[in-house]
């Protein structure tokens, strides 16, 4: 009996530090995303539910069962080494490509201003 159950049910175990996406018990409209996240697994309780952290390192107010979680292979909130911060938008224009913005990059002088 136990062997048949084990073959028909996939046992999921997420280690602390694993990144996961979570779904709710009650589905919303078909236009809403099924999974939310990414969240980081903080711990597993004795009954098998998981405590999760949001990207701001706040603990989520409820626990999730393993069937409500889907593992993500990499940290989606990790910053890329090649990211830059915009200090301000100087101007904008509309072209065939869409809206273009003239930006000033934070920490750089005006010679680096760029239209995106």
């Amino acid at each position: 009996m136990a062997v048949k159950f084990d073959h028909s049910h996939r046992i999921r175990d997420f280690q602390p530090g694993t990144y996961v996406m979570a779904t709710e018990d009650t589905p919303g409209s078909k236009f809403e995303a099924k999974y939310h996240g990414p969240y980081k697994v903080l711990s597993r309780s004795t009954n098998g539910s998981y405590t999760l952290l949001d990207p701001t390192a706040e603990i989520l107010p409820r626990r999730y069962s393993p069937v409500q979680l889907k593992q993500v292979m990499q940290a989606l909130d990790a910053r890329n080494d090649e990211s830059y911060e915009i200090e301000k938008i100087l101007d904008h224009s509309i072209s065939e490509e869409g809206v273009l913005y003239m930006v000033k990059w934070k920490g750089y002088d005006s010679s680096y201003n760029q239209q995106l």
Side-chain angles (χ1 to χ4, degrees):
M1 185 85 166
V3 173
K4 185 177 179 182
F5 177 85
D6 289 345
H7 285 300
S8 63
H9 292 77
R10 196 168 89 195
I11 308 298
R12 298 178 185 170
D13 185 32
F14 302 102
Q15 299 298 318
T18 303
Y19 285 88
V20 295
M21 300 291 280
T23 187
E24 297 298 328
D25 291 331
T26 56
S29 76
K30 64 182 179 180
F31 298 111
E32 292 180 16
K34 183 175 181 178
Y35 286 92
H36 303 280
Y39 302 114
K40 189 175 186 178
V41 174
L42 179 64
S43 63
R44 180 177 184 235
S45 69
T46 55
N47 68 357
S49 62
Y50 290 90
T51 302
L52 304 178
L53 294 173
D54 69 9
T56 63
E58 294 288 325
I59 296 175
L60 295 181
R62 61 166 290 217
R63 292 184 179 165
Y64 289 84
S65 70
V67 296
Q68 293 177 295
L69 301 176
K70 176 170 69 171
Q71 185 172 353
V72 179
M73 291 300 166
Q74 64 186 36
L76 297 178
D77 62 346
R79 290 186 65 153
N80 185 344
D81 290 339
E82 294 186 23
S83 62
Y84 301 93
E85 189 173 343
I86 294 174
E87 184 174 315
K88 63 181 170 178
I89 296 174
L90 303 171
D91 194 13
H92 73 280
S93 61
I94 299 174
S95 71
E96 292 177 3
E97 300 169 357
V99 180
L100 298 173
Y101 297 96
M102 178 62 74
V103 298
K104 177 171 183 342
W105 299 107
K106 186 172 185 174
Y108 292 88
D109 62 34
S110 61
S111 66
Y112 290 95
N113 290 357
Q114 184 177 9
Q115 188 166 14
L116 304 173

